[in-house]
Amino acid sequence: MAAPSPLSPDAINQIKRLDLRARTVVRGFLQGLHSSPYHGFSVQFSEHRRYSRGDDPKTIDWLVYAKTDKYYIKRFEAETNLTGYLVMDLSQSMGFTHRQQMTKFEYSICLAASLCYLMQMQQDPVGLITFGEKVQASLPARSRRGHLADMLAHLTNLEPAGKTNLPACLNQVAAMLRQKGLVMLFSDLLGDPEPVFAALARLRHSGHDVILFHVLDEAEVHFPYDGPVEFEDPETGETLTVDASGFRADYLQNLADFQQEYRERCGNLRIDYVPMDTSMPFDTALTEYLISRQARF
């Protein structure tokens, strides 16, 4: 049996302080890059951007190509900062877990804290927006010393509660953000997807890049239930009793269709859609962030 990942939720959950969790995840992630075929790229990605048609081939960094099998060129100093916004879903449904040690919300908070820590290492300004039925709090994007502590302190004190209105809040976020940047959204996406796509399109039309982290509990992905089971909507209190054994195939197909719709529609909008569950190691999200960051330049 393979040894559990040091960046697995179970391993990280043994660390109680959020700042230490974030530091452990990021350092473990960067160490993993150093020990992989991407050795050295972890300290170089902030200095390069992807080669694009029209760039001078003489500017290609062949050492980076040898390590990544991709074409990158040196970036100019003015290109080196990326403004990021962590956008957190605070709805009650995010507080669900079946048997994992972390709820969807705790998992998302740890992901967000790790991304915040990584961005601060790169001297990238990062801000935070939280929402339920409406936007509840907003910390401006900054890169100054001490801002990381402010961000982590705010993340530590968040709790999931109440309902959510994701489309309305995304429209509100699009109206709030004056500076173009990378919007990193953490949500379980429960609800009608059509108005969500319209709101995401508005964010893209405003010039923002978007990474959508679709965070589900492991049980929501694999449906490990048998026999009669009563399910309760955490936001409305409504209950539904089903024969889980007979319902499993339909449920899993509906989930696959739902995720595929998000994958295709987000692809059309040039949004990175990242389905995750609470059993996945945290380095998956950091990899997606780095890929998106590189692609911007």
Side-chain angles (χ1 to χ4, degrees):
M1 179 183 295
S5 167
L7 299 184
S8 70
D10 285 348
I12 296 301
N13 194 54
Q14 304 307 310
I15 304 170
K16 299 308 177 186
R17 282 176 43 184
L18 184 58
D19 59 335
L20 296 181
R21 285 183 178 185
R23 186 183 308 169
T24 299
V25 169
V26 171
R27 289 183 176 178
F29 170 68
L30 294 179
Q31 184 178 8
L33 283 182
H34 277 287
S35 62
S36 75
Y38 293 82
H39 173 68
F41 191 52
S42 59
V43 294
Q44 292 177 322
F45 69 82
S46 67
E47 302 170 2
H48 294 77
R49 67 172 171 85
R50 282 244 178 114
Y51 175 82
S52 301
R53 182 178 297 179
D55 289 330
D56 187 348
K58 294 179 182 178
T59 62
I60 293 174
D61 190 322
W62 295 105
L63 289 177
V64 173
Y65 172 77
K67 296 170 184 174
T68 67
D69 200 31
K70 296 178 181 178
Y71 296 110
Y72 287 87
I73 67 173
K74 280 282 188 178
R75 293 193 301 186
F76 296 104
E77 188 64 27
E79 295 178 305
T80 58
N81 288 120
L82 168 68
T83 299
Y85 305 96
L86 305 170
V87 182
M88 304 295 304
D89 183 347
L90 302 186
S91 61
Q92 183 65 42
S93 66
M94 291 290 286
F96 171 75
T97 184
H98 173 57
R99 60 188 177 193
Q100 289 292 325
Q101 294 188 32
M102 284 186 176
T103 67
K104 291 183 286 185
F105 188 73
E106 292 167 335
Y107 187 91
S108 298
I109 290 293
C110 191
L111 282 180
S114 301
L115 287 163
C116 182
Y117 189 90
L118 182 59
M119 293 188 74
Q120 287 280 291
M121 286 180 63
Q122 292 302 118
Q123 299 182 333
D124 286 334
V126 57
L128 173 67
I129 299 172
T130 63
F131 69 92
E133 290 190 278
K134 61 181 180 180
V135 170
Q136 297 187 9
S138 175
L139 295 182
R142 293 173 178 160
S143 58
R144 62 167 175 77
R145 187 183 300 273
H147 184 59
L148 176 62
D150 294 341
M151 292 277 289
L152 295 182
H154 195 89
L155 286 169
T156 298
N157 293 321
L158 293 175
E159 293 288 346
K163 300 179 181 180
T164 188
N165 187 337
L166 179 56
C169 292
L170 288 179
N171 283 322
Q172 196 175 349
V173 169
M176 288 169 53
L177 298 182
R178 302 300 181 188
Q179 183 178 4
K180 296 177 183 178
L182 175 62
V183 174
M184 292 163 280
L185 172 63
F186 302 81
S187 176
D188 53 12
L189 299 178
L190 298 186
D192 182 6
E194 204 59 42
V196 176
F197 295 135
L200 289 171
R202 180 178 177 185
L203 271 174
R204 290 290 293 129
H205 183 72
S206 298
H208 302 289
D209 287 332
V210 180
I211 303 178
L212 174 52
F213 293 110
H214 184 193
V215 182
L216 295 175
D217 186 74
E218 181 192 28
E220 292 175 317
V221 173
H222 301 293
F223 204 75
Y225 304 102
D226 289 300
V229 179
E230 182 179 86
F231 295 99
E232 179 180 346
D233 187 321
E235 297 183 19
T236 66
E238 295 180 5
T239 61
L240 175 68
T241 301
V242 300
D243 174 12
S245 302
F247 184 65
R248 180 178 294 107
D250 287 341
Y251 171 86
L252 293 175
Q253 184 59 56
N254 287 336
L255 175 62
D257 292 343
F258 184 80
Q259 291 180 318
Q260 183 60 27
E261 181 179 15
Y262 262 96
R263 189 175 289 108
E264 292 178 356
R265 298 285 292 272
C266 286
N268 292 338
L269 292 170
R270 299 180 65 188
I271 288 172
D272 295 321
Y273 170 68
V274 186
M276 307 192 73
D277 72 67
T278 52
S279 68
M280 296 174 63
F282 288 104
D283 51 348
T284 301
L286 301 190
T287 300
E288 291 295 333
Y289 161 71
L290 291 190
I291 291 172
S292 181
R293 189 188 196 285
Q294 295 153 15
R296 280 182 60 92
F297 299 105

